[in-house]
Amino acid sequence: MRICSIITSFTSGGAEMLVCNLAEAFAGGGHEAAVIALSDAAQVGNAPDTEAAMMARARAGGAKALSLSLANRNDWLGGALALRRALRDIRPDAIHAHSARALFPLALAMPGVPVVLTHHNSRLSFPPAAFALFNRIVDSYVAISDQCQTLLRGHARKPIRLILNAASARFQAQEPRMAAGRDPMILAVGTVSAQKDYPTLLHAARPLTEALAAQGRSARICIAGGGPEFDQLRAQAVGDPVELLGARNDVDALMRQANLFVNCSLWEGFPIAMIEAAMSGLPIVATAVAGNREMVTPGVNGALVPPSDPAALAQAMLETLSDDACYSALSQGALRAARRFSIEGCAAAHLDLYRQLIDARRPHLSAPPLTRPVSPCE
């Protein structure tokens, strides 16, 4: 099977990581996989070195990786022509758009094969009226969480398949962590955007470090992620005990170094970084918002706190890091929770969907000839 996935750009966001991981899994299973980015990373404010690393990794895994280099996202005709040229070379059996932006040029390119759309969030990033067009182009939608499925049900007029996100096996820890350590590293991972609400983590950092200092401990609080709002966050972080690492290609190594994972988002779809953290055996402190609630069970693999509440976030982090027996139990719970999210299972579910859609498009076989004449009156 030839599978073409489309993203906005090659960046370290969760959707993009999932697409590249799936492409590797497809290629490893003997399929022809290609990932097309609509724009270069620099054209949309993302890190070119991360783009280069992701493209190189996809190619090393046996998949094609290319960018259409579209500078103007509203140039639908130019985008359609560039996309059509790329699809002519790839000759896909199925196309999976992981960005709603891809559907407009796809509508003009008229690929003639099944089209799937995954919306990777529990909120819409486009007007609901756009579904009038999407429903004409899309053969099936994919929801990455229960909340995303509920959202799509309100607008989609084509089948919706629930396929949970997954993370690369390179994050998998073999054993749970037994203790938080004297001077823990606290890690947040994700694109720097309003959705991630990193200012709440900045405001929680000082009371946390002061409470740990009272125990004779120190903490390293790190945010790994880039994006158009990175410089603004860096200006806000001046004087706070937080390290901004920027976009990183070694998140798996950072997870192994870390002692606690934190997510302070205002909303989510189903964060890949949180799955990676659970696979790494990290207890998780996260905001009680859609997506996060489906991953974190309080007292089992982490803690949930109200969004935009620095005091509650700092207290939950402190409590998790201050009780070794509780910490160890949460680490074991994280590893158990992560078992649901294997990239192999996720890839198999996608391949099953593609096969069904391809089969549905094939012409029906002619009915077998009748063994005797049939009267019109019968």
Side-chain angles (χ1 to χ4, degrees):
M1 192 187 312
R2 294 185 295 271
I3 305 150
C4 176
S5 301
I6 305 176
I7 57 178
T8 300
S9 74
F10 285 93
T11 184
S12 56
E16 294 78 13
M17 294 301 298
L18 175 68
V19 170
C20 290
N21 289 340
L22 284 173
E24 287 184 76
F26 295 154
H31 303 278
E32 296 183 28
V35 181
I36 296 178
L38 297 177
S39 302
D40 296 340
Q43 292 173 316
V44 291
N46 292 321
D49 55 340
T50 299
E51 173 186 56
M54 291 182 69
M55 295 178 81
R57 201 185 105 211
R59 290 166 181 160
K64 295 179 180 178
L66 63 146
S67 171
L68 301 183
S69 302
L70 302 178
N72 182 359
R73 66 174 60 196
N74 295 318
D75 181 11
W76 305 125
L77 180 57
L81 292 174
L83 184 57
R84 193 165 188 173
R85 286 192 294 269
L87 294 177
R88 190 181 301 125
D89 292 335
I90 296 169
R91 297 180 299 113
D93 298 306
I95 296 172
H96 195 148
H98 291 265
S99 167
R101 275 189 60 199
L103 292 185
F104 296 99
L106 270 175
L108 297 175
M110 296 184 292
V113 298
V115 174
V116 177
L117 172 66
T118 297
H119 178 61
H120 288 268
N121 219 313
S122 59
R123 294 188 181 184
L124 295 180
S125 55
F126 46 83
F131 277 96
L133 172 65
F134 297 171
N135 290 325
R136 289 177 171 269
I137 305 167
V138 170
D139 291 78
S140 179
Y141 295 87
V142 168
I144 60 170
S145 70
D146 291 338
Q147 182 65 32
C148 291
Q149 186 175 43
T150 299
L151 176 71
L152 288 173
R153 281 175 177 163
H155 305 283
R157 299 296 176 264
K158 293 291 179 67
I160 303 168
R161 182 72 62 90
L162 176 63
I163 304 178
L164 298 179
N165 275 349
S168 170
R170 71 179 185 276
F171 287 87
Q172 186 65 59
Q174 300 306 311
E175 300 291 339
R177 297 154 189 258
M178 303 312 296
R182 175 181 171 81
D183 300 318
M185 173 182 171
I186 299 157
L187 179 66
V189 176
T191 302
V192 179
S193 65
Q195 173 185 341
K196 299 299 183 182
D197 192 23
Y198 287 128
T200 288
L201 180 57
L202 299 185
H203 296 147
R206 191 163 299 281
L208 172 63
T209 54
E210 290 174 353
L212 287 173
Q215 300 176 5
R217 306 165 71 190
S218 62
R220 182 185 178 200
I221 305 172
C222 302
I223 298 174
E229 298 183 20
F230 180 82
D231 289 340
Q232 179 182 343
L233 182 67
R234 182 166 52 189
Q236 289 178 268
V238 173
D240 286 315
V242 177
E243 298 178 45
L244 303 185
L245 305 180
R248 297 288 291 255
N249 301 319
D250 60 344
V251 173
D252 53 334
L254 291 174
M255 294 278 189
R256 287 191 288 272
Q257 296 170 30
N259 303 92
L260 179 68
F261 184 83
V262 61
N263 174 298
C264 48
S265 294
L266 298 175
W267 69 92
E268 282 287 1
F270 202 120
I272 298 287
M274 194 174 291
I275 299 173
E276 295 169 347
M279 291 179 68
S280 302
L282 284 174
I284 300 167
V285 174
T287 46
V289 299
N292 292 356
R293 291 193 301 264
E294 295 183 44
M295 182 69 196
V296 178
T297 302
V300 175
N301 61 335
L304 292 172
V305 299
S308 301
D309 190 335
L313 183 64
Q315 184 63 29
M317 290 190 288
L318 178 64
E319 290 176 358
T320 304
L321 294 169
S322 299
D323 185 332
D324 285 347
C326 176
Y327 180 92
S328 178
L330 293 177
S331 179
Q332 294 177 49
L335 291 176
R336 287 194 299 270
R339 291 173 188 162
R340 299 173 57 204
F341 307 104
S342 74
I343 193 66
E344 294 81 10
C346 186
H350 280 88
L351 290 170
D352 181 63
L353 173 60
Y354 303 151
R355 290 189 190 98
Q356 290 183 26
L357 296 176
I358 292 167
D359 289 344
R361 285 230 177 181
R362 287 178 179 149
H364 293 295
L365 296 176
S366 301
L370 297 170
T371 56
R372 63 178 180 85
V374 178
S375 165
C377 296
E378 288 186 14

PDB file of all heavy atoms in Angstrom, residues 213-231:
ATOM      1  N   ALA A 213      13.859  24.016  48.551  1.00  0.00           N
ATOM      2  CA  ALA A 213      15.030  24.538  49.262  1.00  0.00           C
ATOM      3  C   ALA A 213      14.878  24.361  50.768  1.00  0.00           C
ATOM      4  O   ALA A 213      15.858  24.104  51.475  1.00  0.00           O
ATOM      5  CB  ALA A 213      15.235  26.006  48.910  1.00  0.00           C
ATOM      6  N   ALA A 214      13.639  24.463  51.251  1.00  0.00           N
ATOM      7  CA  ALA A 214      13.399  24.252  52.680  1.00  0.00           C
ATOM      8  C   ALA A 214      13.683  22.816  53.091  1.00  0.00           C
ATOM      9  O   ALA A 214      13.920  22.532  54.270  1.00  0.00           O
ATOM     10  CB  ALA A 214      11.956  24.621  53.022  1.00  0.00           C
ATOM     11  N   GLN A 215      13.668  21.884  52.108  1.00  0.00           N
ATOM     12  CA  GLN A 215      14.007  20.484  52.362  1.00  0.00           C
ATOM     13  C   GLN A 215      15.488  20.215  52.097  1.00  0.00           C
ATOM     14  O   GLN A 215      15.927  19.070  52.141  1.00  0.00           O
ATOM     15  CB  GLN A 215      13.165  19.562  51.459  1.00  0.00           C
ATOM     16  CG  GLN A 215      11.665  19.677  51.645  1.00  0.00           C
ATOM     17  CD  GLN A 215      10.892  18.797  50.648  1.00  0.00           C
ATOM     18  OE1 GLN A 215      11.485  18.033  49.878  1.00  0.00           O
ATOM     19  NE2 GLN A 215       9.568  18.884  50.676  1.00  0.00           N
ATOM     20  N   GLY A 216      16.233  21.265  51.754  1.00  0.00           N
ATOM     21  CA  GLY A 216      17.643  21.091  51.423  1.00  0.00           C
ATOM     22  C   GLY A 216      17.852  20.560  50.019  1.00  0.00           C
ATOM     23  O   GLY A 216      18.895  19.970  49.726  1.00  0.00           O
ATOM     24  N   ARG A 217      16.892  20.818  49.134  1.00  0.00           N
ATOM     25  CA  ARG A 217      16.954  20.292  47.767  1.00  0.00           C
ATOM     26  C   ARG A 217      16.871  21.446  46.771  1.00  0.00           C
ATOM     27  O   ARG A 217      16.433  22.552  47.096  1.00  0.00           O
ATOM     28  CB  ARG A 217      15.794  19.323  47.516  1.00  0.00           C
ATOM     29  CG  ARG A 217      15.701  18.207  48.538  1.00  0.00           C
ATOM     30  CD  ARG A 217      14.353  17.501  48.458  1.00  0.00           C
ATOM     31  NE  ARG A 217      14.211  16.690  47.258  1.00  0.00           N
ATOM     32  CZ  ARG A 217      13.060  16.147  46.877  1.00  0.00           C
ATOM     33  NH1 ARG A 217      11.941  16.379  47.583  1.00  0.00           N
ATOM     34  NH2 ARG A 217      13.003  15.396  45.806  1.00  0.00           N
ATOM     35  N   SER A 218      17.263  21.164  45.541  1.00  0.00           N
ATOM     36  CA  SER A 218      17.110  22.130  44.453  1.00  0.00           C
ATOM     37  C   SER A 218      16.426  21.431  43.291  1.00  0.00           C
ATOM     38  O   SER A 218      16.317  20.201  43.273  1.00  0.00           O
ATOM     39  CB  SER A 218      18.466  22.692  44.014  1.00  0.00           C
ATOM     40  OG  SER A 218      19.286  21.641  43.510  1.00  0.00           O
ATOM     41  N   ALA A 219      15.942  22.193  42.337  1.00  0.00           N
ATOM     42  CA  ALA A 219      15.245  21.601  41.191  1.00  0.00           C
ATOM     43  C   ALA A 219      15.688  22.288  39.910  1.00  0.00           C
ATOM     44  O   ALA A 219      15.988  23.488  39.898  1.00  0.00           O
ATOM     45  CB  ALA A 219      13.737  21.732  41.355  1.00  0.00           C
ATOM     46  N   ARG A 220      15.712  21.522  38.839  1.00  0.00           N
ATOM     47  CA  ARG A 220      15.955  22.056  37.501  1.00  0.00           C
ATOM     48  C   ARG A 220      14.630  21.959  36.745  1.00  0.00           C
ATOM     49  O   ARG A 220      14.116  20.853  36.533  1.00  0.00           O
ATOM     50  CB  ARG A 220      17.049  21.254  36.802  1.00  0.00           C
ATOM     51  CG  ARG A 220      17.413  21.770  35.419  1.00  0.00           C
ATOM     52  CD  ARG A 220      18.407  20.857  34.731  1.00  0.00           C
ATOM     53  NE  ARG A 220      18.707  21.322  33.391  1.00  0.00           N
ATOM     54  CZ  ARG A 220      19.229  20.559  32.437  1.00  0.00           C
ATOM     55  NH1 ARG A 220      19.513  19.275  32.694  1.00  0.00           N
ATOM     56  NH2 ARG A 220      19.469  21.061  31.235  1.00  0.00           N
ATOM     57  N   ILE A 221      14.055  23.084  36.360  1.00  0.00           N
ATOM     58  CA  ILE A 221      12.766  23.110  35.665  1.00  0.00           C
ATOM     59  C   ILE A 221      13.021  23.507  34.215  1.00  0.00           C
ATOM     60  O   ILE A 221      13.553  24.596  33.946  1.00  0.00           O
ATOM     61  CB  ILE A 221      11.800  24.099  36.342  1.00  0.00           C
ATOM     62  CG1 ILE A 221      11.652  23.750  37.822  1.00  0.00           C
ATOM     63  CG2 ILE A 221      10.436  24.073  35.645  1.00  0.00           C
ATOM     64  CD1 ILE A 221      10.881  24.786  38.614  1.00  0.00           C
ATOM     65  N   CYS A 222      12.668  22.634  33.279  1.00  0.00           N
ATOM     66  CA  CYS A 222      13.022  22.822  31.876  1.00  0.00           C
ATOM     67  C   CYS A 222      11.783  22.768  30.990  1.00  0.00           C
ATOM     68  O   CYS A 222      10.893  21.941  31.204  1.00  0.00           O
ATOM     69  CB  CYS A 222      14.009  21.747  31.417  1.00  0.00           C
ATOM     70  SG  CYS A 222      15.536  21.690  32.377  1.00  0.00           S
ATOM     71  N   ILE A 223      11.773  23.622  29.969  1.00  0.00           N
ATOM     72  CA  ILE A 223      10.736  23.598  28.932  1.00  0.00           C
ATOM     73  C   ILE A 223      11.422  23.325  27.607  1.00  0.00           C
ATOM     74  O   ILE A 223      12.273  24.108  27.167  1.00  0.00           O
ATOM     75  CB  ILE A 223       9.963  24.925  28.864  1.00  0.00           C
ATOM     76  CG1 ILE A 223       9.239  25.195  30.180  1.00  0.00           C
ATOM     77  CG2 ILE A 223       8.961  24.901  27.709  1.00  0.00           C
ATOM     78  CD1 ILE A 223       8.568  26.561  30.245  1.00  0.00           C
ATOM     79  N   ALA A 224      11.082  22.215  26.968  1.00  0.00           N
ATOM     80  CA  ALA A 224      11.631  21.855  25.663  1.00  0.00           C
ATOM     81  C   ALA A 224      10.571  22.120  24.604  1.00  0.00           C
ATOM     82  O   ALA A 224       9.530  21.470  24.588  1.00  0.00           O
ATOM     83  CB  ALA A 224      12.063  20.388  25.642  1.00  0.00           C
ATOM     84  N   GLY A 225      10.831  23.065  23.743  1.00  0.00           N
ATOM     85  CA  GLY A 225       9.873  23.387  22.690  1.00  0.00           C
ATOM     86  C   GLY A 225      10.200  24.732  22.087  1.00  0.00           C
ATOM     87  O   GLY A 225      10.729  25.627  22.763  1.00  0.00           O
ATOM     88  N   GLY A 226       9.904  24.892  20.824  1.00  0.00           N
ATOM     89  CA  GLY A 226      10.097  26.160  20.137  1.00  0.00           C
ATOM     90  C   GLY A 226       8.780  26.632  19.562  1.00  0.00           C
ATOM     91  O   GLY A 226       7.721  26.096  19.880  1.00  0.00           O
ATOM     92  N   GLY A 227       8.851  27.628  18.715  1.00  0.00           N
ATOM     93  CA  GLY A 227       7.650  28.136  18.092  1.00  0.00           C
ATOM     94  C   GLY A 227       7.657  29.642  18.005  1.00  0.00           C
ATOM     95  O   GLY A 227       8.552  30.313  18.540  1.00  0.00           O
ATOM     96  N   PRO A 228       6.657  30.202  17.342  1.00  0.00           N
ATOM     97  CA  PRO A 228       6.630  31.652  17.116  1.00  0.00           C
ATOM     98  C   PRO A 228       6.599  32.481  18.394  1.00  0.00           C
ATOM     99  O   PRO A 228       7.010  33.636  18.396  1.00  0.00           O
ATOM    100  CB  PRO A 228       5.337  31.857  16.308  1.00  0.00           C
ATOM    101  CG  PRO A 228       5.037  30.522  15.701  1.00  0.00           C
ATOM    102  CD  PRO A 228       5.546  29.513  16.681  1.00  0.00           C
ATOM    103  N   GLU A 229       6.112  31.928  19.514  1.00  0.00           N
ATOM    104  CA  GLU A 229       5.998  32.689  20.758  1.00  0.00           C
ATOM    105  C   GLU A 229       7.162  32.428  21.718  1.00  0.00           C
ATOM    106  O   GLU A 229       7.113  32.815  22.879  1.00  0.00           O
ATOM    107  CB  GLU A 229       4.670  32.363  21.455  1.00  0.00           C
ATOM    108  CG  GLU A 229       3.446  32.743  20.623  1.00  0.00           C
ATOM    109  CD  GLU A 229       2.140  32.487  21.351  1.00  0.00           C
ATOM    110  OE1 GLU A 229       2.159  32.374  22.591  1.00  0.00           O
ATOM    111  OE2 GLU A 229       1.105  32.401  20.672  1.00  0.00           O
ATOM    112  N   PHE A 230       8.221  31.782  21.211  1.00  0.00           N
ATOM    113  CA  PHE A 230       9.344  31.438  22.086  1.00  0.00           C
ATOM    114  C   PHE A 230      10.019  32.676  22.664  1.00  0.00           C
ATOM    115  O   PHE A 230      10.310  32.740  23.869  1.00  0.00           O
ATOM    116  CB  PHE A 230      10.362  30.590  21.323  1.00  0.00           C
ATOM    117  CG  PHE A 230      11.553  30.192  22.149  1.00  0.00           C
ATOM    118  CD1 PHE A 230      11.480  29.103  23.013  1.00  0.00           C
ATOM    119  CD2 PHE A 230      12.740  30.902  22.078  1.00  0.00           C
ATOM    120  CE1 PHE A 230      12.567  28.737  23.786  1.00  0.00           C
ATOM    121  CE2 PHE A 230      13.837  30.536  22.843  1.00  0.00           C
ATOM    122  CZ  PHE A 230      13.745  29.454  23.702  1.00  0.00           C
ATOM    123  N   ASP A 231      10.285  33.689  21.826  1.00  0.00           N
ATOM    124  CA  ASP A 231      10.980  34.883  22.311  1.00  0.00           C
ATOM    125  C   ASP A 231      10.150  35.612  23.365  1.00  0.00           C
ATOM    126  O   ASP A 231      10.701  36.150  24.334  1.00  0.00           O
ATOM    127  CB  ASP A 231      11.295  35.822  21.138  1.00  0.00           C
ATOM    128  CG  ASP A 231      12.384  35.270  20.233  1.00  0.00           C
ATOM    129  OD1 ASP A 231      13.144  34.391  20.690  1.00  0.00           O
ATOM    130  OD2 ASP A 231      12.461  35.696  19.070  1.00  0.00           O
TER     131      ASP A 231
END
